[in-house]
Amino acid sequence: MDLTALKTFKILTLLPWADWLALATFFVGWIGYAGFARRRSASSMSLLATTNHFRRLWMLQTTWRDVRVVDGVIVQNLSTSPSFFASTTILIIGGLLAVLGTSEKASVLVKEIPFAAATTALVFDLKVLVLTGVFVYAFFRFTWSLRQYTFGALVMGALPDFRVFERGEASREEYADRAGRVMGLAAESFNDGLRAYYMAFAVVGWFFSPLWFVLGTVGVVYVLYQREFHSDVLAVLKS
């Protein structure tokens, strides 16, 4: 057995097979659902796809307005949510990294929780690292959403005077499609960040047992599916 294979085998033996199976279920569930939701939105209007329709209508309405101060205020308000979550995520990541510095004490504390799985400090560190990775991904999605809202504000700032559209020198439909798409991409990035927050709750179940990790993953995916495709607010928006 060569050195690479030996190192790989050593890594695989760090966790019991049940933990590796639960971890694989988590990533398959997360990535698989993200792909499913994106494909399903093309045939069955999801919450994001439906609101994107309203974003395009919003951008179309701006071409008729002489004063667009209200539209700028709306963009500013929309960008506050990813900004807030990005700042919060930084604090969470800092807290998790601090836990890694005191992993032995933290693992002892977790063992005292009823039904929590007894693990070594190394395995506990791995679980914290996975949880940290989830929030790092969320941070990148939130900050990218914030930048995209900035791009959307630039597109609105470059919007020609409404008389230009009336004279036929510019296309209202073309502008609405482009600006609405930018706003939709910003909302999609923000949605990915929120989805990561939901999936983080499933990872918390891993500190109790692999079974709770799997059940948490399935439960979170079910909640996400219900909210994106069968929620009451979606029914109202589609009516």
Side-chain angles (χ1 to χ4, degrees):
M1 183 179 296
D2 57 14
L3 184 60
T4 303
L6 185 61
K7 290 182 177 179
T8 303
F9 178 77
K10 186 176 181 180
I11 293 175
L12 292 175
T13 56
L14 289 177
L15 289 175
W17 66 269
D19 289 273
W20 284 118
L21 182 61
L23 189 60
T25 302
F26 170 75
F27 283 109
V28 170
W30 186 3
I31 299 173
Y33 175 76
F36 164 79
R38 191 172 293 108
R39 292 190 302 270
R40 181 71 181 273
S41 297
S43 58
S44 178
M45 294 293 285
S46 65
L47 188 59
L48 181 62
T50 303
T51 52
N52 280 342
H53 171 70
F54 284 95
R55 290 182 182 91
R56 184 189 179 279
L57 290 178
W58 167 33
M59 291 296 105
L60 186 61
Q61 290 297 320
T62 59
T63 63
W64 295 91
R65 285 193 277 268
D66 184 16
V67 179
R68 296 158 180 143
V69 176
V70 174
D71 303 293
V73 172
I74 294 175
V75 175
Q76 183 178 9
N77 288 337
L78 288 174
S79 64
T80 56
S81 293
S83 176
F84 168 78
F85 275 97
S87 302
T88 304
T89 305
I90 282 292
L91 297 177
I92 295 175
I93 293 173
L96 290 173
L97 292 178
V99 170
L100 285 175
T102 58
S103 58
E104 293 185 1
K105 295 181 179 179
S107 61
V108 171
L109 179 62
V110 171
K111 290 178 183 178
E112 297 179 357
I113 300 176
F115 309 109
T119 59
T120 63
L122 182 61
V123 174
F124 181 84
D125 287 346
L126 178 61
K127 295 178 180 180
V128 175
L129 283 174
V130 172
L131 188 58
T132 304
V134 173
F135 283 107
V136 168
Y137 171 81
F139 172 78
F140 278 106
R141 297 307 290 169
F142 286 136
T143 52
W144 181 230
S145 173
L146 184 59
R147 289 198 64 190
Q148 287 174 312
Y149 276 123
T150 303
F151 302 151
L154 290 175
V155 173
M156 289 188 58
L159 175 66
D161 186 80
F162 74 100
R163 299 178 187 86
V164 174
F165 293 106
E166 291 180 349
R167 292 194 298 266
E169 299 175 6
S171 171
R172 297 183 188 274
E173 297 293 331
E174 181 180 350
Y175 167 78
D177 289 339
R178 180 178 301 178
R181 181 56 180 160
V182 173
M183 295 297 181
L185 289 172
E188 184 176 349
S189 298
F190 179 69
N191 187 60
D192 290 341
L194 283 181
R195 187 179 295 156
Y197 262 65
Y198 278 84
M199 298 306 296
F201 282 98
V203 180
V204 172
W206 195 14
F207 290 93
F208 293 90
S209 71
L211 178 60
W212 280 110
F213 191 14
V214 173
L215 293 177
T217 301
V218 174
V220 167
V221 170
Y222 175 77
V223 170
L224 289 173
Y225 173 76
Q226 289 295 321
R227 292 191 175 183
E228 292 191 43
F229 294 97
H230 298 286
S231 61
D232 293 336
V233 66
L234 178 60
V236 173
L237 290 173
K238 292 172 66 175
S239 62

